[in-house]
Amino acid sequence: MSCILRLSQSLRARGYRVTPQRLAILEALHHEGHLSPAQVYERVRQTGMTEATVYRTLEFLRANNILFAAQREGGHLTYELAGASHHHLICRTCGAQVDLEAEALQRLIACLEQQSGYRLDASHLTLFGLCPNCQACNEIRDPEPRDTRDQVS
Amino acid sequence: MSCILRLSQSLRARGYRVTPQRLAILEALHHEGHLSPAQVYERVRQTGMTEATVYRTLEFLRANNILFAAQREGGHLTYELAGASHHHLICRTCGAQVDLEAEALQRLIACLEQQSGYRLDASHLTLFGLCPNCQACNEIRDPEPRDTRDQVS
DNA sequence: ATCCTTATTGATAATTTTTGCAATAAAGAC
DNA sequence: GTCTTTATTGCAAAAATTATCAATAAGGAT
Ligand SMILES: [Mn+2]
Ligand SMILES: [Mn+2]
Ligand SMILES: [Zn+2]
Ligand SMILES: [Zn+2]
């Protein structure tokens, strides 16, 4: 509540307008985790808002650092209210998600910034891989990753 | 050439088939940098291949570690022949790209893997930020980031 | 060379995301 | 409150991406 009010003021201060559409979307994302544009639309369609507006608004709010965007596998976008910086590890096989404190990467990011001269906005990264469970499954399924080095065709 | 031949054998060994469509796409990506699906299609449409096939084939080759995929700003995918592991820094303002040796992140990735138990496939990451030039521009444009802390409305 | 199995493609439709532009309405001035 | 400016929306069409399914053809066997 107070949170959304503060965001409204911040928007107006930058010359943007606070519309019922933007408020509805912020409300929908309030306390929910990551939502896809379609999921956001579900939660606000009652207001009569268009899908196009959902896409535009999400991108607008992200560009203004009010939302974090994250890429699910395959590149589909997902949004959440921007808050404490954090990152995600997602299992490519079962989809399990783990959150990472930002500081886990902080040092590295700083290091990269110094090396490259870039100022990175890496406050919300997503890395893909295999969770411990799925690693175990794979080992069982592929008992001995056969040696194919010197195989002659 | 020899490169594509090796890939073909690798595919057949896994029970997949080597089709003129797959060869054309690999050929198109040979020596080119990152291409979007549309750009790939441009380069192979003469063969009569469908756009659907381009999308399917790119995803197929990526899933089989023959291509790297990268997300451009906004989440649009881009592909390149998988080769030496490397990462990208992209400027959100001017689009300037910098490549990073993989080893720059290697240590951190290993560290994250140990902490989380995940096995990460972070061989081709893209980070966004501001390049040195655009940082300078912004400083000129926003001379004094005014203090708005105690501003009463 | 011929036959068989089935992985892969083309054609088409469905879905998702983006775009252009006229109509609307937020918010500041009065 | 009314007026004015112009950021924002709805609408409709375009473009990009994905899904379905019958027809095709790769590649192994004979
Ligand atoms: Mn998140
Ligand atoms: Mn690359
Ligand atoms: Zn898993
Ligand atoms: Zn730049």
Side-chain angles (χ1 to χ4, degrees):
Chain A
M1 255 332 199
S2 155
C3 156
I4 289 184
L5 224 140
R6 190 169 50 260
L7 292 176
S8 299
Q9 295 176 331
S10 148
L11 280 181
R12 264 190 286 259
R14 290 181 244 184
Y16 299 121
R17 294 177 185 176
V18 176
T19 67
Q21 290 86 349
R22 286 175 181 172
L23 287 174
I25 287 179
L26 286 175
E27 199 62 57
L29 284 168
H30 203 232
H31 289 146
E32 301 261 7
H34 299 136
L35 295 184
S36 68
Q39 292 172 316
V40 171
Y41 180 59
E42 274 180 37
R43 290 165 170 70
V44 298
R45 70 183 319 167
Q46 18 161 350
T47 72
M49 176 179 349
T50 309
E51 281 177 287
T53 299
V54 171
Y55 283 102
R56 274 183 306 216
T57 302
L58 289 172
E59 163 54 19
F60 165 81
L61 293 172
R62 185 208 62 74
N64 284 90
N65 302 312
I66 289 174
L67 300 183
F68 283 155
Q71 324 253 6
R72 285 279 170 85
E73 172 125 57
H76 287 201
L77 289 172
T78 278
Y79 297 86
E80 75 179 321
L81 271 189
S85 174
H86 66 276
H87 311 289
H88 297 278
L89 303 186
I90 299 185
C91 177
R92 280 217 142 97
T93 299
C94 73
Q97 266 196 41
V98 167
D99 282 29
L100 281 181
E101 298 289 335
E103 50 173 286
L105 292 182
Q106 216 61 62
R107 189 152 312 173
L108 168 90
I109 302 285
C111 174
L112 289 181
E113 285 185 324
Q114 219 166 29
Q115 282 181 27
S116 65
Y118 274 56
R119 171 166 309 165
L120 301 176
D121 56 342
S123 56
H124 192 232
L125 299 180
T126 300
L127 302 179
F128 295 93
L130 285 183
C131 74
N133 273 354
C134 291
Q135 285 176 50
C137 290
N138 284 350
E139 280 168 20
I140 293 171
R141 195 164 300 139
D142 309 332
E144 289 280 321
R146 281 163 302 159
D147 186 357
T148 57
R149 262 177 300 170
D150 302 324
Q151 220 171 56
V152 178
S153 62
Chain B
M1 249 339 195
S2 156
C3 155
I4 288 184
L5 225 141
R6 191 169 50 259
L7 292 177
S8 299
Q9 296 177 331
S10 148
L11 279 180
R12 264 190 286 260
R14 291 181 244 183
Y16 299 121
R17 293 175 185 178
V18 176
T19 67
Q21 289 86 350
R22 287 176 180 170
L23 287 174
I25 288 180
L26 285 174
E27 199 63 55
L29 284 167
H30 203 231
H31 288 146
E32 301 262 6
H34 298 138
L35 295 184
S36 68
Q39 292 172 316
V40 171
Y41 180 59
E42 272 179 38
R43 289 166 170 70
V44 298
R45 70 184 317 170
Q46 21 161 347
T47 72
M49 180 179 346
T50 309
E51 280 177 288
T53 299
V54 172
Y55 284 102
R56 274 183 307 216
T57 303
L58 289 172
E59 163 55 19
F60 165 81
L61 293 172
R62 186 209 61 76
N64 284 90
N65 301 312
I66 288 173
L67 300 182
F68 283 155
Q71 324 254 5
R72 284 279 170 86
E73 172 125 58
H76 287 201
L77 289 172
T78 278
Y79 297 86
E80 75 178 320
L81 271 188
S85 175
H86 66 277
H87 311 289
H88 298 278
L89 304 186
I90 299 185
C91 177
R92 280 218 142 96
T93 299
C94 73
Q97 267 196 40
V98 166
D99 282 28
L100 280 182
E101 298 289 333
E103 51 172 284
L105 293 183
Q106 215 63 63
R107 189 154 312 172
L108 168 92
I109 303 284
C111 174
L112 288 181
E113 285 185 324
Q114 218 166 29
Q115 282 181 28
S116 64
Y118 273 56
R119 171 165 309 165
L120 301 176
D121 56 343
S123 56
H124 192 232
L125 299 180
T126 301
L127 302 179
F128 295 93
L130 285 184
C131 75
N133 274 355
C134 291
Q135 286 175 50
C137 291
N138 285 349
E139 280 166 21
I140 293 170
R141 194 165 301 138
D142 309 332
E144 288 279 322
R146 281 164 300 158
D147 185 357
T148 57
R149 262 177 300 168
D150 302 324
Q151 221 172 55
V152 178
S153 64

